[in-house]
Amino acid sequence: MSLLTRTAPAALDLDPLGDLPAVRIVPAGEPGTAARGWVVRLGRDLYVRSAPGGARVAGGRAHLQVDGARRPVLLAEVAPELHALLDDAYLAKYGRCAPEKVAAVTSDAAAASTFRVRPRRASWAERVDAALDAVRGAARREPAERPCPTC
């Protein structure tokens, strides 16, 4: 098999996250701080916005957590000209939610916390921490979050 035809390992595949209603954004190295994030797909890329009023999220290394499993990612800033397209994507995906929730996730404050999501390999230390958590039973499985009760 050619190196060019190899597919990314399952751990690096972020496509399933695009269909989820919400994820938790956990900054790398700060496991105690997490924010709820709403995910949309625009073209082939995934984007996440943290819910306004929650924990502040910065770009860089992070994890997206779903059902207790964490996926290592890089959060990259988004060009301002994409925000209107992303607002439309959020309206298309979450438009059936409570109007105040949709207004919050398409606000200017929410746009400032929008990041393009890129997969990354977990560092050796992150893999060791995950293994230790599994052994200790510390990795509790939490149900996937919903952005609002009407979704």
Side-chain angles (χ1 to χ4, degrees):
M1 174 186 283
S2 163
L3 288 176
L4 296 176
T5 60
R6 260 193 202 168
T7 57
L12 297 179
D13 182 19
L14 299 177
D15 280 342
L17 297 178
D19 298 327
L20 296 174
V23 296
R24 297 202 51 82
I25 307 166
V26 183
E30 299 178 40
T33 59
R36 182 188 317 180
W38 292 15
V39 182
V40 294
R41 187 183 322 273
L42 185 61
R44 297 180 65 184
D45 292 322
L46 288 181
Y47 295 84
V48 65
R49 280 185 178 173
S50 61
R56 177 131 170 89
V57 176
R61 294 167 20 112
H63 294 93
L64 296 185
Q65 183 174 334
V66 179
D67 291 335
R70 288 186 177 188
R71 295 187 186 219
V73 296
L74 287 174
L75 301 177
E77 289 189 25
V78 176
E81 55 270 13
L82 287 180
H83 288 295
L85 294 171
L86 288 167
D87 284 346
D88 291 343
Y90 279 100
L91 285 170
K93 184 173 180 179
Y94 298 105
R96 69 187 185 285
C97 294
E100 65 276 3
K101 297 284 187 177
V102 175
V105 84
T106 57
S107 69
D108 289 340
S113 67
T114 303
F115 298 97
R116 185 174 61 184
V117 179
R118 293 287 190 214
R120 70 173 174 86
R121 292 195 184 278
S123 70
W124 182 84
E126 289 169 329
R127 287 181 277 175
V128 169
D129 286 343
L132 289 173
D133 283 347
V135 169
R136 292 182 192 134
R140 291 180 210 93
R141 297 194 63 80
E142 300 172 10
E145 285 194 47
R146 292 223 173 263
C148 69
T150 61
C151 291

